[in-house]
Amino acid sequence: MVITFDLHADGTITGVTTKESNVGDVDSFLCELSVMQPAPFGKWPPDVRRLIGGDVIPVTFTFNYY
């Protein structure tokens, strides 16, 4: 299962989207929830913002089921 989202410098996330899924709806929802529920994450230090070159970074996260 592959999800994408935008991680913002203030620790919030937006645009959580399932890109690929070979599991059921419940498992897909649980994967999305595992990213959304702990948000907001910690704020980025100024050095990270300079390194990234902005306040948002797109993230692709893959969950593997065996």
Side-chain angles (χ1 to χ4, degrees):
M1 155 144 206
V2 178
I3 62 172
T4 61
F5 55 92
D6 291 327
L7 177 60
H8 299 262
D10 66 357
T12 59
I13 60 171
T14 58
V16 177
T17 306
T18 298
K19 293 295 183 182
E20 293 178 32
S21 180
N22 57 0
V23 297
D25 290 341
V26 172
D27 289 332
S28 293
F29 175 73
L30 291 173
C31 290
E32 290 179 7
L33 192 61
S34 72
V35 172
M36 294 185 297
Q37 193 172 27
F41 299 96
K43 293 181 180 181
W44 301 353
D47 290 342
V48 172
R49 293 174 77 181
R50 281 192 293 277
L51 180 67
I52 298 299
D55 292 333
V56 179
I57 188 168
V59 176
T60 300
F61 201 92
T62 302
F63 292 86
N64 293 304
Y65 286 86
Y66 297 99

